[in-house]
Structure formats: structure tokens, C-alpha cells
Amino acid sequence: MKHTLSVLVEDRPGVLARVASLLARRGFNIHSLAVGPTAEPGMSRMTIVVDAPELEQVKKQLHKLVNVVRITELDPATALEREIMLVRVAAPAGKRGEVLEIASIFKATAVDVGPSSMCFQISGTPAKINDFLDLVRPYGIVDLVKSGRIAMAREQKTKPGRLRAVN
Amino acid sequence: MSTITGAQALITALEHEGVDVVFGVPGGAILPAYDPLHDSPIRHILARHEQGAGHMAEGYAWATGRVGVAMATSGPGATNLVTPLADALMDSVPIVAITGQVPTSAVGNDAFQEAYTTGITMPATKHNYFVTDVDEIPQVVREAFHIASTGRPGPVLIDLPKNVLTATTTWREPGEISLAGYKPTVDGHPRRVKEAVDLIAEAQRPVLYVGGGIIKANASAELRRFAELVNVPVTTTLMGRGAFPDDHRLSLGMPGMHGTYTAITALQKADLLIAIGVRFDDRVTGKVDTFAPHAKVIHVDVDPAEIGKVRTADVPIVGDARRILTQLIEAWAGRETPDRHPWLDTIAAWKRDYPLRYDQQPDGPIKPQFVIEELYRLTDGDATLVAGVGQHQMWASQFWRFSDPRRWINSGGLGTMGFAIPAAIGAKVGRPDDLVYAIDGDGSFQMTLQELITAASEGIPVKVAVFNNRSYGMVTQWQKLFYGGKLSASVLGDDVDYVKIAEGLGCAGLRAETPDEVAPTLEKSLAIDDRPVVVELVVDPDEMVFPMVPAGASNDEVILGPDDLGALP
Ligand SMILES: Cc1ncc(C[n+]2csc(CCOP(=O)(O)OP(=O)(O)O)c2C)c(N)n1
């Protein structure tokens, strides 16, 4: 079962290694991890997608790290989750039209065009990105890179209680 | 303001933390720190191996409750500290390790004696620091001691590059500690405390299952008051021996793999576990699914991650054990102390029918259990015992009648052979007026015996009993029970003269080979106080530790003794 955690950490050297090493040591599989600065100076936010049967231990173990400040578990049904992908699709001159048509439905932008392939940039929910991939796969995928997932809770007006902070 | 070096700032910061002793081994990268250390009132004890220095710091911390400090150079000095750090992490021992590092300009270049110390020790410490700014030293030291000694105690390492130690700064008084991500909970949630008290009042067969957390929290007095108030029997884990007096009418002894029949069975039959400062370790629970199957669980721990890790708690209470025991006592106020008759009678019957036993024949080989009992008799139990790892450790824990906390010191979680001698040295340095007796196996002894040189040359008169069965007894026991008796690599087959070793290293050496020599030899050891003493006891190599619950078996399957092996799977 995949869970998305939004983890606020102090921006200290080695903090990424601490988080990654702890998850590895406790046997939790990291599906993706994205890290970057936040609006608060000195703080970074990690969005971690982990594969674990239950999350209580992961959260408690992460909390033991001195540099981990706050952990929020995001409900995939309501949270804003985004990924960005660059994908190079095999598209000789004859196929370009078809591929571009699919891309335009998904609002994927062509960022590089070569004699035998085209590279697209697409961002959106993980589901949207996977759908796009499924459609271009038959043409042949030459290369692919995805960012880790980033996520944020929606403003709590309709469904309170969806966002659970762990102390 | 006068200018000082980073090294001077370090030593001043240690003095401000109240450090009176540092255990260490010098070397290139840490040399700048050894210079002001020489002029400081802090005593330095030169260990003969950094592992020894680390265990000494642990023994000091166990015995005193204060933070133990170890110091080492970069590279091999730091890697030699890894075992005691991992040991201290497992057993929640507050120590601070200070390591030198190659200059920042050389870091990452495979410089001479460079090791990635903070990386290597990341999973072996509660927290660690790599200091690159000389101005930060006082604050880092303050934080390190705070983290090591609060919440669930543990080891913290500070790695200091040589150029940071030699750089100049002005002394900056460390400020308030404000760590956004570290705020241990102290008080138990009042609603949970109330729920706990209600459960205890309703329970028919409650057991207090307590461990090292009681000792770390200095909560023994509160534990005793509470146990008497609610009239609930108490079992103390290997890490918690001494948290509750063994001679108390409510004491069940130790639970687990080599626990007493009474403690193991009381847990199996209990309808309520009041678990305080314990972590449901596999050596206690046996097969988890069948552990205490009828019991509801109240789990008190300062580390929230321990609650629900192994066994779901019906009433989880996060906080300091001493504080929560006080809250429980207050919450009980007004209730009567239950007589708990049928339950305490059943327990009394188990104690009577299934005592710990062994058979010392007057003309047979020395039984190790007999040595422990004789030492107890001759000292009136007024001593601190420090154990190595193996059978002797279990016998010491079983047959000594502990009455005080911090007078039983051992490596429980990591099970580190070689722990006893250096930890005993650290304990003796911390409490010089106490009689400190190490109970060691010959195998464990051979792992850190060079620290006897430290004891002799620094004038630290510890006593070390070496239980010589010429084997890794605990290993041979498993091989005899579970590997068809094939003694692969477990018989030492050596002919070591422990008396000569002792004398050669500057200690007194004594030996007992027959049961009637045991008491006079131990008495002699007690009379020597100007040197460390090593007492070799030539013990029965065939003796096994019982009771025993085989690893992974249910605690309903206790093997009581050698005559009970039919029960083996
Ligand atoms: C550093 C280390 N290496 C190996 C082991 C595995 N081990 C556990 S008990 C034991 C034998 C201990 O022998 P000894 O110290 O002579 O004690 P005895 O069991 O004979 O009392 C061994 C090898 C260990 N616990 N620690």
C-alpha cells in the first residue's frame, strides 16, 4: 500500500541521508522522494511516497530523527499530488502527427524534436501522467525521467479531518 | 574577549556540562583537543582500544546516570567506537563521543585516516554532528548532552575536523536549547492515566512488566510505592534488574528466554500487563503471537515508537516513567489496595514449586551458579555486577538478588562480548566507593582483556571473575540443544593462564579449581584493593542455562532443566 507523507525537516547537511537511511534500515520501501525549500527559512519539505502495510511505525521512527519537525500524512483521494515527466517517444516523421495529437489532449509540450524522436514535458497528477504514458508506449519509449511526487493538502473547507498531523 | 581555539572551546564546553572524566585514545586529528584537555580539571583515562573507551563511557553512564564521554581520533579511532555506540543505542545509554576528523579541505579526498564517521555512525547514534564552524562548538556540545540525556537516552557523536579545532573563536555561552524537531514528552496524558488505573482496579491477574526505562528514569522508588499500592507482582527484564528488589514479596524475577518459571508463566496467564520502560523484546516475548495471550496491555514509554511496535497497547501512555508512576499513584488515590488473593497465591505456589536450581556436588566441578551465590553471600550483595555476554551473564542475572538500580550493568540489546571489563572500569570511575565486580566468560574476556592495563595503570581497582569453561558456553549450549551436539568453532581449547595474564598486566591473579576453593579465593579477591584483581574460576563446561524457552518458541514451552529436555521440538 502506497502512502504519501509530507515531512517538514530542518535544512541541515545530511538530513536527506538520515531520512533515507532510516527508511531503509526499518525496511520501508521508498517509492519516490522529492525535496526542496519551503516558504519558511531554514526548513525543507520532503514528499515521500512509501510502500508500507501501515504507516504508524514509519511516522514514529521518522519522528525520532532530531531534524524532522512535522509529518503530515496526505490522503491521496483529496490531496493535491503532482509529478513532472520528460519522455522521449520514438516518432519518425510519419508518426509525428499522431503523437502530437495525443500530446495536445494531455497538454504535454514538445520540448525537443529530432529526426527519429520527440521529447515531451508533461506535468499533472500521477494518474494523468500514467495515462499519457500508456498511450504513447506503443510508439516506443526511448527515454524517460520522472520527478518524485510532490503533494500538498487542499484547504480544509469541505472535508475537515482529512489532514492528520502527527505529534 | 580573549581569543581561544576550537579545541579550548570544546574542553570548556565539556567542563560546563559538568564532565569530570573522558575516556579516550589520542591520534592525529584529535590532537588539538588533547592539548587543552591536559590542562583541564577533567580527568582523562587512556583506554587501550577505542571500543574500550566507549564501553567505559557506557559503564560510567549506567552507574551514575550522568552522560559518559569518549574521545577518539579520525578513521580507525572513530570506527573502533562503532560497537559501543550501537550498544548504547540499543540499551539507551547516554554517552557523547567526540571524534577528530581530517581537515575540511581534505574531507572527501580519502585523506590519511579519513573515514565518513557521521555516515558510518548515523544508524548507530541517536543523533550526530559534523561541525564545520568553530563558533558553533559550545552550542553543539550543549545540544549533544541534552539529546543524549533526555527523552529516551542514547549516544550522540560530535565529529570535529582538525582545522575547526585549531581555528580561533571567542567563547560564546551556549544559548537556550531550541530544537524544532526534538521535544520529548514528559507528562502522561491524564485521560490515559485514568483509563490505566481503572483497568488495574478491574484486573484479576495483573503483572507489572518493567525494564531499563525505570532505571533510566530513576523511577525505582515510585515503582515500589505503586506496586505495593496496587498490590501487583513485578517482573524485571534483563535491562531492568535492580529496578525492583528481588527479595520483595511481589517480585517474580526475570522474564524471557532464561527467566524464572514464575515470571514467564505469570505473564502467560496475566489478564493485564502494566508494561513500563520495556520494548517487548523477542528475548522476552518468545513467539509474539502466543505471548501473554489473555492480557490487555498498558504500555508506558518515553519513546512513542516503542508503543505498538511489537504488541498493540490498549492504553498507550507516552512520557517519563517516573512522572507517570507518580501520576498513576495520584490517580489511584482513594481506592483500596486489592488483596488479589487467588492470583498472588498461585504465584507463591509457582515460586515454591519451580525455583531456580542447580546441583553443586562437593567433589564435582565448580558450578557457575554456585560462584554467583557465594559471591553474593560474601559481599552481602553490596556490589555492582557488570557482565559479559553469554551463559555467565544469564547466571549472574538469575542468581544475584538485586536490590538497587544501577548496580547491574550489562549489554542486553546488542549482546556485546567484551563489554564487562571496560564497562566495569567506567562504573568504578563513576562510583569509586562501590565494589565493582565483573562477571565475565573466558570468551568475552579475551575480546577486551587489554583494558586491564588501563585499570592497572590508572589505579582503578575493579575485580573480574573469569568463568573459564574453555568454550563459548552459550554457543555450545545452542549447538548441544539445536545442532545435534556438533561443537563447531565453539570450544576454545586454549591453555591460557589467567593468573599469569593478570600479573603480566599489572593486576593480581587468583584461581579456584574446586568448589571448596571458591569462597576463600573470592574472599582473597575482596581483600585486595590496591590493584585490579582477576579471579579465574574453572567451571563445569557442560553446565547449561535453564529455564530456557527455545528461540522462536512459545513461552508456554519452558524447559526447566536438563531433565526436562524431552520437551524440545
Ligand atoms: C562480539 C560478539 N561476538 C560474538 C557473539 C556471539 N556469542 C554470543 S555468546 C558467545 C559465547 C560467549 O562465551 P563466553 O564469553 O566464554 O561466555 P559463556 O557463554 O561461556 O559463559 C558468543 C560467541 C557476541 N555475542 N558478541
Side-chain angles (χ1 to χ4, degrees):
Chain A
M1 172 95 180
K2 288 201 178 70
H3 305 268
T4 307
L5 291 178
S6 177
V7 183
L8 187 69
V9 299
E10 288 180 290
D11 180 17
R12 292 285 170 83
V15 64
L16 176 61
R18 283 180 207 280
V19 168
S21 135
L22 182 135
L23 292 171
R25 172 159 80 102
R26 298 279 172 184
F28 303 116
N29 232 329
I30 302 177
H31 176 75
S32 90
L33 193 157
V35 55
T38 62
E40 264 177 272
M43 295 286 175
S44 298
R45 163 116 30 221
M46 293 184 182
T47 308
I48 311 174
V49 182
V50 285
D51 229 335
E54 59 95 35
L55 218 50
E56 214 43 43
Q57 262 300 306
V58 187
K59 290 189 290 191
K60 285 174 166 179
Q61 292 297 341
L62 278 174
H63 253 300
K64 289 177 71 163
L65 296 177
V66 170
N67 300 135
V68 168
V69 178
R70 196 161 57 243
I71 304 174
T72 315
E73 182 183 347
L74 297 172
D75 180 345
T78 57
L80 300 165
E81 296 195 316
R82 294 294 180 269
E83 283 173 3
I84 181 162
M85 174 173 76
L86 291 172
V87 60
R88 183 176 294 285
V89 181
K95 298 280 184 191
R96 271 185 206 152
E98 289 172 37
V99 175
L100 277 169
E101 206 169 306
I102 297 170
S104 82
I105 297 169
F106 282 85
K107 297 204 173 76
T109 348
V111 288
D112 183 38
V113 183
S116 61
S117 72
M118 302 178 76
C119 182
F120 293 98
Q121 166 198 317
I122 175 171
S123 65
T125 63
K128 172 185 163 187
I129 289 182
N130 280 338
D131 289 349
F132 176 65
L133 259 183
D134 285 345
L135 287 174
V136 294
R137 191 169 283 118
Y139 297 93
I141 289 169
V142 181
D143 207 354
L144 179 160
V145 57
K146 265 188 194 183
S147 69
R149 190 176 306 177
I150 57 168
M152 191 182 269
R154 283 177 201 274
E155 199 183 342
Q156 277 186 335
K157 49 188 173 199
T158 43
K159 292 193 171 172
R162 285 292 189 179
L163 178 83
R164 272 194 290 148
V166 190
N167 304 306
Chain B
M1 267 221 156
S2 61
T3 311
I4 55 171
T5 63
Q8 283 165 329
L10 170 71
I11 302 303
T12 307
L14 293 177
E15 287 169 7
H16 283 217
E17 295 302 324
V19 173
D20 57 356
V21 59
V22 169
F23 305 93
V25 179
I30 195 69
L31 272 187
Y34 270 85
D35 190 61
L37 182 58
H38 194 72
D39 306 323
S40 157
I42 296 175
R43 177 179 182 191
H44 180 264
I45 289 177
L46 179 63
R48 263 47 177 184
H49 188 293
E50 291 83 357
Q51 182 189 353
H55 291 319
M56 286 174 204
E58 285 190 275
Y60 175 93
W62 263 94
T64 63
R66 297 196 297 272
V67 176
V69 183
M71 201 181 268
T73 193
S74 64
T79 56
N80 277 347
L81 276 178
V82 172
T83 298
L85 289 171
D87 192 274
L89 186 66
M90 275 287 225
D91 285 349
S92 312
V93 186
I95 62 172
V96 167
I98 293 160
T99 49
Q101 182 56 276
V102 300
T104 42
S105 58
V107 166
N109 286 329
D110 304 319
F112 177 63
Q113 292 194 329
E114 180 182 3
Y116 178 27
T117 303
T118 44
I120 290 169
T121 60
M122 206 175 269
T125 52
K126 183 172 172 183
H127 192 56
N128 62 20
Y129 292 89
F130 176 63
V131 182
T132 50
D133 179 353
V134 63
D135 296 341
E136 283 181 1
I137 289 176
Q139 185 68 22
V140 165
V141 170
R142 169 64 52 90
E143 283 182 17
F145 276 73
H146 175 72
I147 292 170
S149 59
T150 54
R152 179 178 181 169
V156 178
L157 179 138
I158 306 174
D159 199 30
L160 291 156
K162 191 168 188 177
N163 61 312
V164 175
L165 287 170
T166 53
T168 52
T169 181
T170 48
W171 173 257
R172 283 154 207 258
E173 200 56 46
E176 279 289 295
I177 292 174
S178 129
L179 297 163
Y182 181 78
K183 297 192 172 77
T185 306
V186 175
D187 291 332
H189 196 293
R191 202 174 63 229
R192 295 293 192 205
V193 171
K194 166 88 174 49
E195 285 169 17
V197 164
D198 290 343
L199 272 187
I200 296 166
E202 285 161 23
Q204 300 301 309
R205 298 183 309 281
V207 173
L208 269 155
Y209 154 38
V210 305
I214 296 285
I215 295 181
K216 304 296 164 8
N218 296 315
S220 298
E222 288 76 7
L223 170 67
R224 184 172 178 159
R225 266 178 59 209
F226 179 65
E228 288 171 355
L229 186 66
V230 295
N231 207 19
V232 170
V234 184
T235 178
T236 48
T237 67
L238 182 66
M239 294 302 296
R241 305 287 290 133
F244 190 79
D246 283 324
D247 285 333
H248 196 284
R249 68 177 175 88
L250 289 171
S251 168
L252 302 172
M254 181 169 75
M257 180 175 272
H258 293 300
T260 63
Y261 176 86
T262 306
I264 298 170
T265 309
L267 288 169
Q268 289 307 91
K269 305 289 182 209
D271 66 350
L272 177 67
L273 303 189
I274 310 161
I276 310 183
V278 290
R279 53 188 180 86
F280 292 78
D281 180 70
D282 55 84
R283 286 300 187 258
V284 167
T285 62
K287 195 170 168 216
V288 177
D289 311 342
T290 61
F291 174 67
H294 316 293
K296 289 199 169 174
V297 174
I298 298 166
H299 194 173
V300 176
D301 207 287
V302 73
D303 179 358
E306 285 307 335
I307 296 178
K309 185 181 85 177
V310 175
R311 170 83 175 239
T312 309
D314 299 277
V315 180
I317 312 182
V318 177
D320 172 73
R322 181 164 166 196
R323 178 71 197 111
I324 289 169
L325 277 162
T326 308
Q327 288 177 282
L328 287 167
I329 291 167
E330 284 163 3
W332 184 269
R335 299 192 200 229
E336 250 175 65
T337 296
D339 72 15
R340 304 213 189 271
H341 250 315
W343 179 228
L344 292 181
D345 297 341
T346 310
I347 285 171
W350 287 332
K351 279 199 202 179
R352 188 185 60 232
D353 297 343
Y354 303 100
L356 292 168
R357 57 192 164 92
Y358 66 95
D359 180 19
Q360 175 66 68
Q361 294 294 324
D363 50 358
I366 299 174
K367 295 291 180 178
Q369 302 94 323
F370 174 67
V371 179
I372 305 288
E373 291 205 318
E374 284 294 274
L375 185 61
Y376 185 85
R377 187 175 62 80
L378 294 169
T379 57
D380 241 344
D382 187 12
T384 291
L385 285 205
V386 186
V389 169
Q391 293 179 309
H392 60 282
Q393 174 190 25
M394 294 300 121
W395 285 315
S397 172
Q398 288 177 333
F399 284 88
W400 196 261
R401 321 275 317 151
F402 294 97
S403 51
D404 315 296
R406 301 195 181 281
R407 293 182 96 190
W408 163 246
I409 300 176
N410 82 134
S411 167
L414 200 65
T416 308
M417 286 171 73
F419 178 82
I421 296 173
I425 292 172
K428 182 75 181 169
V429 169
R431 285 216 315 266
D433 296 332
D434 205 5
L435 167 62
V436 176
Y437 224 116
I439 304 295
D440 220 354
D442 50 340
S444 294
F445 180 88
Q446 290 176 17
M447 292 218 176
T448 49
L449 69 91
Q450 76 277 23
E451 300 306 344
L452 288 170
I453 308 168
T454 308
S457 54
E458 297 274 350
I460 305 162
V462 292
K463 308 194 193 300
V464 181
V466 186
F467 285 50
N468 184 8
N469 52 12
R470 298 182 72 205
S471 55
Y472 288 152
M474 190 54 99
V475 176
T476 59
Q477 172 162 349
W478 282 52
Q479 289 172 333
K480 286 171 190 167
L481 295 177
F482 312 115
Y483 291 88
K486 200 191 287 174
L487 301 185
S488 174
S490 55
V491 176
L492 294 172
D494 54 28
D495 225 344
V496 175
D497 185 331
Y498 290 92
V499 173
K500 274 197 186 143
I501 287 199
E503 288 169 351
L505 301 183
C507 308
L510 304 167
R511 178 183 295 125
E513 289 175 286
T514 57
D516 56 335
E517 286 172 6
V518 170
T521 311
L522 291 176
E523 265 172 348
K524 253 186 241 163
S525 79
L526 295 172
I528 301 171
D529 221 21
D530 59 341
R531 276 165 299 164
V533 190
V534 175
V535 184
E536 178 192 0
L537 297 129
V538 179
V539 297
D540 185 355
D542 293 322
E543 190 64 15
M544 294 202 217
V545 186
F546 292 108
M548 177 170 193
V549 179
S554 157
N555 279 355
D556 294 322
E557 300 160 37
V558 191
I559 303 169
L560 289 171
D563 40 9
D564 191 24
L565 287 172
L568 259 192

